[in-house]
Amino acid sequence: MKKTFILWLLLGVCCTIQSQVVTIIDKETALPLELATLISEKPHAFATTNAQGQANISAFSGSEKIEVRMLGYKTVAINFAEIEKGSFVITLSQIGVSLDHIVISASRWSQLSRDVPARIISISTKDVALENPQTTADMLGNSGEVFIQKSQQGGGSPMIRGFATNRLLYSVDGVRMNTAIFRAGNIQNIISLDPFAIEKTEVFFGPGSVIYGSDAIGGVMSFQTLTPQFSMTDKSFITGKAVMRYASANNEKTAHFDVNVGWKKWAMVSSISSNDFDDLRMGSNGPRSYLRPFYVQRQDSVDVVVTNDDPRIQRPSGYSQINMMQKLSYRPNEKWEVQYGFHYSVTSDYSRYDRHIRYKKGLPRYGEWYYGPQEWMMNNLSITHNGNNVAYDQLTVRIAQQYFQESRISRDINKPNRETRIEEVDAYSVNVDFNKAIGAKHKLFYGLEGVQNQVASNGIDEDISTGIKQAGAARYPQSDWASYAAYLNYQLKLSEKMLIQIGARYNQYSLEADFDTTFYPFPYTTASMNNAAITGSAGLVYRPTEKWVVSLNGSTGFRAPNVDDAGKVFDSAPGLVVVPNPDLEAEYAINGEAGIAKLFGEVVKVDLTGYYTILQNAMVRRDYTMNGLDSIAYDGEMSRIQSVQNAAVATVYGVQAGVDVKLRSGFGFSSNFNYQVGEEELDDGSTSPSRHAPPMYGVSRLTYSTQRLRIEFYAVYSGEKKFDDLPEEEKAKTEIYAVDADGNPCSPGWYTLNFKAIYKLEEKISVSAGLENLTDQRYRPYSSGLVAPGRNFLISLRVGF
């Protein structure tokens, strides 16, 4: 089989050499390597290999130094003439560990991680295929670098360095996903992204506002979806895969299919996934208070409390989802590429489980509480030009339109009034990004950004006994939110060992809102906001040897008030109602961090990062008065009034540590550990632990791999949060926490032991299986409403072509 492949490979090289197509293969197996990268500084060029290990390198002609890189392989530095002499075939040797990989999230451009003073991790498609995450939230959680909170099964809210929700930035194919209604409470927008359709995931830790603007305080999650691959010959290039998966804990049934068709100048990729999840089963060993002894069912127009035949089943928690993606690329020559992308995701209704375990007078408080279908659509047009001129080496223009719809439906038990609140956001954005190398030592990354969000919100109150519907109070005012910015990042290579980076951003943001006073006596009918924010960063990377990297970075980030901050009416807890405050200003984060990484031979890598972040002018909930009143009637009960105000200072500090060991025998060990402490100022001047700083957490893995088989035994773990360590606002959520010996809520520590394996039956056919939570632990991750899955068997079949 290997000889046959090499014969066809050489024939392919002979046919394509005239078009300067290089083929990159594994030195030991002679198999092609997909997603290997080639980088040249002069001329400025970048290429990625397709599924056949091929890339067109016409743009590299004459280059004196081309670096060829791939995760898990030793970097090769070669000039164009040497590639020609080698018949346009490059072999890469596997390596244990490395300090370098290609990242794009630091500047929106492909660059080496060694040139970035901030901490960045990448999640490879190879790891995703083994882990088999059900959602993109699970994919991030499996990394051991991001903590995931879940209020319901249809969710997953990342926590990074003590920040979460609207203090984190989501980027999809370089387009900002955050909208003007991203809230401080837990969000679940990340499940709109299909893990099968993601080609590369990166997490940028710390403030990233210089490049990404508002919300990039705790970090940036950058997702690059499948890219159309062109043919390197006169024949069409067709590749793809089909995947089917089953998991026992929620009776998951998932199917996925994607196909790529490429010609010399045109290429397209299509992807579709379907997921169906039943109610989730928790484990057998853990706090009894987590069990679900009963639930509410509607029978003969009456809400009936029904005994749960299996208290480990979390009813209701099931849902289903469809994801689709279509991309089309046109490359007339090596200088231009135009790409259009369409993304669509929609869920079924899904219950907010933590509301269903909220009780009142010994009975469930709600007869219904669920989210309507979460819908996301994006149209994205990008134009890239390799100019190599005075103004830029590369230019990319991204024009995107997104549509978001979400809704909340609730009804108290045995009450006829059903409240439906529907939110829609039309988001428009334009990004123009440039990079320019000036000589061998200087690089510029600069650009412009414009973002506009149009928010439409309405409420419907329905009497389910009569079917009569009438207008209800909207969750948000009808609003327009906008942001316009310019940024510049400058890199100076002082020597082969030292690099410095300085960046700055100017951002103007505005908000126009119209308030409806029909239902609430607001003392205003309109609100207007127009302010500016300036952020910056400065960092240093020092490599005393090829096996040491030391980095220092100082950065600021900001979050502009959005519609959710300034204009929302909602109940944050029983007896509390949050009302609009149009006088908000931006909050700012100041961050300092230091990192060190060390290689021991080609076998062991150790890295450690420490950071300290201060959040000033923080937007937090505080008691408030409206028209002289400190309470109003909301949802049938008198509720104390609160609003979001610039009224606090918060601090977060912590460490992130990792170790990676790769032995030539195929065995390996890796571990990632995160420890963070957050404090937030309260209204009386005292402090409380920060809500979004989870207890210490991490993952440790023992692996074994051969050419066909990869096995992994790993532990996932988290520390406890005692009652005294819980944030003040969390102490009131007794329904989601265990009870300590004194009867107080607490979040116990937990661990799971897990086993995964993937085996290649043929070159394009593989089967993977796993057993998660081997000891069937019953645990609830910190701040989550949903109890995590119990023992879970999963199996997946993947067929490529």
Side-chain angles (χ1 to χ4, degrees):
M1 181 67 185
K2 184 189 294 186
K3 292 180 179 179
T4 303
F5 172 79
I6 294 175
L7 174 63
W8 281 105
L9 175 64
L10 294 175
L11 287 174
V13 169
C14 293
C15 294
T16 60
I17 190 170
Q18 295 302 316
S19 60
Q20 296 181 321
V21 173
V22 70
T23 303
I24 301 178
I25 61 174
D26 184 293
K27 185 176 182 179
E28 294 183 9
T29 66
L31 294 176
L33 296 177
E34 183 179 6
L35 299 180
T37 58
L38 300 96
I39 296 179
S40 169
E41 295 293 342
K42 191 176 181 180
H44 188 86
F46 176 84
T48 303
T49 57
N50 63 16
Q52 293 179 336
Q54 295 180 330
N56 189 329
I57 59 170
S58 301
F60 293 75
S61 181
S63 175
E64 291 298 318
K65 184 179 180 182
I66 300 172
E67 291 191 342
V68 186
R69 297 176 177 272
M70 185 169 180
L71 194 65
Y73 287 82
K74 188 174 183 178
T75 299
V76 170
I78 190 171
N79 62 44
F80 193 85
E82 290 172 328
I83 295 177
E84 288 181 309
K85 290 179 182 178
S87 301
F88 286 85
V89 176
I90 300 174
T91 59
L92 296 185
S93 302
Q94 294 189 31
I95 193 173
V97 291
S98 171
L99 292 177
D100 289 337
H101 60 280
I102 301 295
V103 296
I104 60 174
S105 58
S107 64
R108 294 185 184 270
W109 297 102
S110 297
Q111 61 183 133
L112 299 176
S113 60
R114 69 182 181 190
D115 294 337
V116 181
R119 177 180 172 86
I120 301 177
I121 65 156
S122 298
I123 301 174
S124 70
T125 54
K126 184 179 178 182
D127 290 334
V128 173
L130 174 63
E131 297 297 337
N132 262 315
Q134 292 188 344
T135 68
T136 300
D138 295 335
M139 179 186 72
L140 289 170
N142 287 343
S143 71
E145 303 266 14
V146 179
F147 190 89
I148 299 296
Q149 180 277 351
K150 289 188 179 183
S151 296
Q152 64 282 326
Q153 188 173 191
S157 189
M159 297 183 184
I160 299 175
R161 287 192 174 182
F163 296 100
T165 62
N166 55 15
R167 289 177 178 139
L168 301 176
L169 196 286
Y170 302 76
S171 174
V172 183
D173 291 341
V175 176
R176 173 192 181 92
M177 193 184 193
N178 294 44
T179 73
I181 63 171
F182 265 40
R183 56 191 179 275
N186 300 303
I187 60 176
Q188 52 269 354
N189 298 73
I190 198 168
I191 69 169
S192 293
L193 303 178
D194 180 7
F196 287 111
I198 295 175
E199 192 170 82
K200 188 174 185 181
T201 300
E202 294 177 11
V203 181
F204 177 102
F205 294 93
S209 288
V210 168
I211 301 297
Y212 294 95
S214 178
D215 303 1
I217 288 179
V220 176
M221 290 160 284
S222 174
F223 304 94
Q224 175 64 50
T225 59
L226 295 175
T227 303
Q229 298 182 0
F230 293 86
S231 174
M232 301 297 142
T233 70
D234 291 329
K235 294 183 178 181
S236 58
F237 171 62
I238 301 174
T239 185
K241 64 179 179 292
V243 182
M244 297 188 69
R245 184 176 64 216
Y246 172 80
S248 62
N250 54 2
N251 197 28
E252 178 208 8
K253 297 171 285 291
T254 286
H256 167 79
F257 177 79
D258 65 67
V259 60
N260 181 100
V261 182
W263 300 271
K264 277 196 169 182
K265 294 187 176 182
W266 291 87
M268 66 180 207
V269 61
S270 304
S271 172
I272 184 169
S273 295
S274 173
N275 310 94
D276 184 78
F277 308 107
D278 285 351
D279 295 328
L280 183 66
R281 185 184 67 251
M282 66 181 78
S284 302
N285 305 305
R288 291 188 57 82
S289 60
Y290 292 173
L291 293 172
R292 180 73 163 147
F294 49 78
Y295 60 98
V296 176
Q297 206 174 66
R298 189 76 173 170
Q299 298 178 1
D300 299 325
S301 302
V302 177
D303 292 325
V304 179
V305 179
V306 178
T307 300
N308 195 351
D309 56 1
D310 185 350
R312 295 179 302 161
I313 303 295
Q314 299 175 79
R315 296 188 170 99
S317 61
Y319 77 104
S320 60
Q321 182 169 337
I322 294 287
N323 283 81
M324 293 183 287
M325 185 193 76
Q326 178 67 56
K327 284 188 177 181
L328 177 67
S329 286
Y330 173 58
R331 185 185 291 167
N333 52 53
E334 68 271 11
K335 289 186 176 295
W336 289 93
E337 182 172 348
V338 180
Q339 184 180 110
Y340 166 73
F342 171 77
H343 301 259
Y344 182 75
S345 172
V346 64
T347 70
S348 64
D349 294 342
Y350 54 100
S351 293
R352 181 164 173 179
Y353 184 76
D354 65 342
R355 289 293 193 260
H356 284 273
I357 58 174
R358 186 175 282 183
Y359 302 104
K360 187 176 182 179
K361 297 181 180 178
L363 291 174
R365 176 174 177 177
Y366 296 103
E368 298 174 332
W369 212 121
Y370 60 93
Y371 290 103
Q374 177 174 291
E375 186 176 357
W376 172 62
M377 179 184 69
M378 180 169 77
N379 292 280
N380 178 19
L381 177 67
S382 65
I383 303 170
T384 300
H385 180 232
N386 296 310
N388 288 317
N389 55 41
V390 175
Y392 60 86
D393 293 328
Q394 284 184 303
L395 157 71
T396 293
V397 179
R398 295 181 182 90
I399 303 171
Q401 177 268 333
Q402 298 179 80
Y403 172 77
F404 301 81
Q405 185 185 85
E406 58 186 53
S407 56
R408 296 159 177 79
I409 299 92
S410 63
R411 181 178 58 80
D412 286 352
I413 190 168
N414 282 319
K415 300 291 184 181
N417 187 49
R418 174 189 289 150
E419 297 181 346
T420 300
R421 303 294 180 259
I422 303 171
E423 285 73 55
E424 296 174 287
V425 180
D426 286 297
Y428 306 92
S429 62
V430 177
N431 291 87
V432 184
D433 299 301
F434 307 84
N435 74 45
K436 176 64 181 175
I438 304 172
K441 294 186 176 182
H442 309 271
K443 283 186 181 179
L444 292 176
F445 304 95
Y446 61 102
L448 303 170
E449 180 184 69
V451 178
Q452 184 176 39
N453 285 190
Q454 297 173 349
V455 178
S457 180
N458 66 83
I460 302 171
D461 291 342
E462 178 186 2
D463 187 326
I464 64 172
S465 64
T466 64
I468 296 175
K469 297 181 180 180
Q470 62 183 13
R475 182 178 173 91
Y476 298 114
Q478 312 311 304
S479 310
D480 286 330
W481 183 90
S483 169
Y484 304 98
Y487 76 89
L488 172 68
N489 245 6
Y490 168 65
Q491 280 189 355
L492 172 61
K493 192 174 183 181
L494 296 173
S495 68
E496 289 299 319
K497 295 183 177 181
M498 184 175 294
L499 175 147
I500 62 172
Q501 177 175 292
I502 301 172
R505 180 187 183 100
Y506 175 82
N507 212 118
Q508 192 78 22
Y509 61 89
S510 64
L511 172 65
E512 301 289 337
D514 294 321
F515 291 92
D516 184 353
T517 58
T518 303
F519 301 95
Y520 300 109
F522 300 131
Y524 37 75
T525 57
T526 63
S528 182
M529 186 185 301
N530 194 337
N531 292 306
I534 299 175
T535 53
S537 64
L540 176 147
V541 179
Y542 176 56
R543 299 172 65 99
T545 71
E546 285 298 312
K547 297 185 180 296
W548 278 95
V549 176
V550 179
S551 61
L552 298 173
N553 193 45
S555 56
T556 61
F558 80 100
R559 187 171 75 83
N562 63 19
V563 176
D564 186 86
D565 299 310
K568 179 172 63 176
V569 177
F570 81 112
D571 61 323
S572 62
L576 294 176
V577 60
V578 177
V579 300
N581 176 14
D583 298 321
L584 285 171
E585 299 176 352
E587 59 184 15
Y588 289 87
I590 302 172
N591 176 75
E593 63 184 272
I596 188 169
K598 167 67 174 171
L599 285 183
F600 297 90
E602 296 182 352
V603 177
V604 179
K605 180 178 77 171
V606 177
D607 66 86
L608 179 68
T609 301
Y611 60 89
Y612 189 94
T613 306
I614 302 173
L615 184 66
Q616 298 178 327
N617 219 27
M619 289 182 268
V620 294
R621 297 172 195 161
R622 292 288 185 263
D623 288 345
Y624 191 67
T625 60
M626 191 167 63
N627 294 331
L629 301 175
D630 62 4
S631 299
I632 60 173
Y634 181 82
D635 199 18
E637 67 176 295
M638 289 301 294
S639 299
R640 190 168 77 248
I641 299 174
Q642 292 188 329
S643 71
V644 176
Q645 303 172 38
N646 297 109
V649 173
T651 60
V652 181
Y653 62 89
V655 295
Q656 296 170 285
V659 60
D660 195 3
V661 180
K662 295 287 177 62
L663 303 176
R664 294 191 180 276
S665 60
F667 286 96
F669 173 79
S670 66
S671 186
N672 293 303
F673 175 80
N674 301 266
Y675 174 80
Q676 51 280 312
V677 176
E679 282 191 345
E680 182 181 294
E681 183 182 6
L682 298 179
D683 203 13
D684 61 1
S686 61
T687 60
S688 168
S690 174
R691 175 187 178 189
H692 291 136
M696 71 87 176
Y697 64 95
V699 60
S700 298
R701 308 179 191 275
L702 180 63
T703 60
Y704 175 74
S705 60
T706 65
Q707 185 177 336
R708 286 184 174 270
L709 176 66
R710 189 178 177 197
I711 298 174
E712 172 178 274
F713 179 74
Y714 64 101
V716 182
Y717 43 86
S718 174
E720 66 173 338
K721 278 254 187 186
K722 297 179 180 179
F723 174 74
D724 292 338
D725 298 325
L726 281 179
E728 289 301 313
E729 61 181 306
E730 291 294 294
K731 291 179 179 178
K733 302 174 185 177
T734 55
E735 69 273 9
I736 68 172
Y737 288 105
V739 179
D740 64 18
D742 297 322
N744 295 316
C746 66
S747 179
W750 54 267
Y751 72 93
T752 64
L753 301 178
N754 314 270
F755 175 82
K756 298 281 178 65
I758 185 169
Y759 181 73
K760 278 188 178 182
L761 300 172
E762 297 288 344
E763 182 55 37
K764 296 289 187 178
I765 303 175
S766 62
V767 61
S768 58
L771 195 57
E772 299 173 332
N773 195 357
L774 286 163
T775 56
D776 207 24
Q777 297 296 304
R778 183 189 305 143
Y779 67 99
R780 180 180 268 143
Y782 164 72
S783 193
S784 294
L786 189 76
V787 182
R791 185 181 295 117
N792 182 37
F793 170 75
L794 60 91
I795 187 167
S796 174
L797 176 66
R798 178 181 296 244
V799 179
F801 57 90

